[in-house]
Amino acid sequence: MTAIPPRISYLQDNLQSIRKIAKWTAEDLSKKIGVTKQTISNLENNRTKMSLTQYIAIRSVLEYEVETNKDNVILPQVLSVIFDDENINDKRDEQEVKEIKDKVSMIGASVASGVSSNTILSFIGPISKKVSNTSKTFSWMKNILK
């Protein structure tokens, strides 16, 4: 069995928090990508490994959400932290991956409990110094399909 590419692991490890930041239920996400709610639960709880097809589908709906929902200022910043520099992502050490997951989890919990984006940003500051606009080029897809 081949190893799961780090980018896929990063998405799977942060999926539940990202979904909360996007303000989607597991059922909402499942409908968007054409799978069952149980599939999303299995991915979020690491009962099954995310496939390349699932990764592409989820990244695509996330990019679409960023492009069409300008009110959610947290989501593009979180995605930028997790995925912005695809080459660096493959070289992250375990501690950096854990720190990112912890931060994203805290942000997801804050969003889920109704804390406003402005309040979240006032406590933690901008999450990312730059937010890439990959939704126009889908450069992440070129990297994962290499």
Side-chain angles (χ1 to χ4, degrees):
M1 183 173 211
T2 59
I4 296 174
R7 287 174 223 105
I8 294 175
S9 293
Y10 298 153
L11 178 56
Q12 184 164 3
D13 290 346
N14 292 286
L15 184 58
Q16 185 173 38
S17 298
I18 292 169
R19 180 177 55 74
K20 289 177 182 177
I21 293 165
K23 298 182 181 172
W24 297 335
T25 64
E27 187 170 5
D28 293 337
L29 179 56
S30 72
K31 288 178 181 177
K32 289 177 184 297
I33 66 167
V35 299
T36 65
K37 179 181 168 185
Q38 186 62 47
T39 299
I40 300 302
S41 176
N42 288 343
L43 290 170
E44 290 179 350
N45 293 301
N46 281 310
R47 286 190 286 268
T48 58
K49 293 296 176 192
M50 184 178 290
S51 71
L52 177 60
T53 303
Q54 291 166 331
Y55 175 86
I56 291 170
I58 294 168
R59 284 292 306 265
S60 296
V61 297
L62 287 169
E63 293 292 336
Y64 182 77
E65 180 70 9
V66 166
E67 193 171 291
T68 60
N69 184 357
K70 300 298 183 192
D71 292 335
N72 190 337
V73 296
I74 302 291
L75 182 62
Q77 291 191 44
V78 166
L79 295 177
S80 181
V81 167
I82 296 171
F83 300 114
D84 194 38
D85 188 339
E86 300 289 353
N87 296 320
I88 291 174
N89 282 338
D90 290 339
K91 298 174 186 159
R92 287 184 175 157
D93 62 31
E94 286 184 40
Q95 182 61 32
E96 186 178 6
V97 170
K98 183 183 179 328
E99 288 171 6
I100 290 171
K101 184 177 179 180
D102 290 347
K103 190 173 201 178
V104 171
S105 179
M106 185 265 312
I107 294 166
S110 297
V111 170
S113 65
V115 177
S116 75
S117 297
N118 290 337
T119 303
I120 293 169
L121 291 175
S122 71
F123 284 123
I124 62 173
I127 303 158
S128 174
K129 294 194 183 339
K130 65 175 187 165
V131 177
S132 66
N133 190 2
T134 56
S135 59
K136 292 185 179 174
T137 63
F138 285 92
S139 62
W140 60 267
M141 193 178 297
K142 291 180 212 171
N143 287 322
I144 196 73
L145 295 175
K146 294 189 213 188

